[in-house]
Amino acid sequence: MAKKKQSALEEKKGVSISEITSQSSIDLIKSKRKFSPSEKQLIDAILSRDITALSRAITLIESRNPKHLEKANSIVKACLPYANQSVRIGVTGVPGVGKSTFIEAFGKHLTNLGKRVAVLAIDPSSTITKGSILGDKTRMEDLVKDENAFIRPSASGDSLGGVARKTRETITLCEAAGFDVIIIETVGVGQSETTVHSMVDFFLLLKLAGAGDELQGIKRGIMEMADMIAINKADGDNLKPAQLAKVEFNSALHLYPEKPSQWHPKVVTCSAINNEGIDTIWNTILEFVDLTKANNHFEDKRYEQNKYWLIQTIENQLKSNFFNHSKIKDALTEQLRLIESNMTTPFAAADYLLNLLK
């Protein structure tokens, strides 16, 4: 008798739930999902270094639901007195430069030194579907299991500059939760990427050698903002090209004006996969912090950043209020129809809409 052919879509019998977990554990998880902690409970838990509470609060901050805004603002305000005790590091570079691999090696180095590290990984959002993969944790397998590390992927959304809309507030919560080092991984590198510079103390630019990246790196304005250039993947056959690139970038840095911080940017080579040069990078960051704290640039820069984010927050709120106004929503649809029919221009339509609420 011929054996019955099985469908490729047939589902095989899996492991039953009772074999991998107990019913009491399931009930506990379900009860926690139903429970919505109050503002005070979240604040107290964050200050007690509760990672679950920290994650919940960040979700509230990132939410676009108007009901969550007041609660999120209260939490951030309560955490402010406990913030500003960390070193904030921005890590950027072209896609494929090895940002996630580097951050894992760097993060493990710091946790081995007894530091608590928070990684805010910004994932690019699709302009078509608006979705993000948020897969940075899968590329940091060792760091994600470290009890002294916290990794939070966030979607960049429609935010210009490669950072999530609420990254600045998230930094405050992470500092209140006792993290010594905050690392912000951006989506890539470009002219609009420099927003990350306005929220960090130290700006690290990762580069590649032998990929036609040297000249592009010299041309881009982002070089002016870098406090250090690290040429990653300096191993194997790529070691010699990396050393040559180091010489080229060192020469290029002399073309830029002196920084207000009196810091002279460094160029180093490293191999994240071989864990080489990571300690040098951290020691250089410590040198930078010591220098800028001694000449007061560290505090001055944070004050300027706070002013910048005040203006940005006002602009974002005004934009949100404008487009969510019922009168504007109706009028915008009509003006778009008129533009499509060539009965008005985009400039005239904008002028009409801006004057509509006066």
Side-chain angles (χ1 to χ4, degrees), residues 88-103:
R88 305 167 185 170
I89 304 168
V91 179
T92 191
V94 295
V97 76
K99 292 190 291 294
S100 296
T101 305
F102 169 81
I103 288 173

Side-chain angles (χ1 to χ4, degrees), residues 76 110 146 174 188 228 238 282:
V76 173
L110 294 178
D146 196 314
C174 289
M228 176 189 283
N238 207 35
W282 175 240

Side-chain angles (χ1 to χ4, degrees), residues 191-212:
Q191 294 294 347
S192 64
E193 191 69 12
T194 53
T195 306
V196 70
H197 185 259
S198 65
M199 62 174 72
V200 297
D201 306 311
F202 190 90
F203 195 50
L204 174 61
L205 177 60
L206 293 181
K207 305 293 283 185
L208 284 173

Side-chain angles (χ1 to χ4, degrees), residues 266-280:
K266 315 289 185 185
V267 183
V268 300
T269 58
C270 67
S271 171
I273 200 166
N274 290 337
N275 206 27
E276 295 172 353
I278 304 299
D279 55 342
T280 301

Side-chain angles (χ1 to χ4, degrees), residues 6 275 332 357:
Q6 289 184 324
N275 206 27
L332 179 60
L357 298 180

Side-chain angles (χ1 to χ4, degrees), residues 84-91 168 171 175 180-184 195-204 225-228 259 261 263 282 285 288-290 292-293 297-303 305-306:
N84 297 308
Q85 301 300 317
S86 74
V87 177
R88 305 167 185 170
I89 304 168
V91 179
R168 183 65 183 80
I171 291 172
E175 289 176 338
D180 308 300
V181 181
I182 313 291
I183 301 172
I184 303 173
T195 306
V196 70
H197 185 259
S198 65
M199 62 174 72
V200 297
D201 306 311
F202 190 90
F203 195 50
L204 174 61
M225 297 184 177
D227 296 304
M228 176 189 283
K259 290 177 175 287
S261 62
W263 171 259
W282 175 240
I285 292 173
F288 171 87
V289 172
D290 289 341
T292 53
K293 283 190 174 182
H297 177 78
F298 192 91
E299 293 301 323
D300 290 344
K301 184 178 181 182
R302 287 203 172 182
Y303 173 68
Q305 288 174 353
N306 286 334

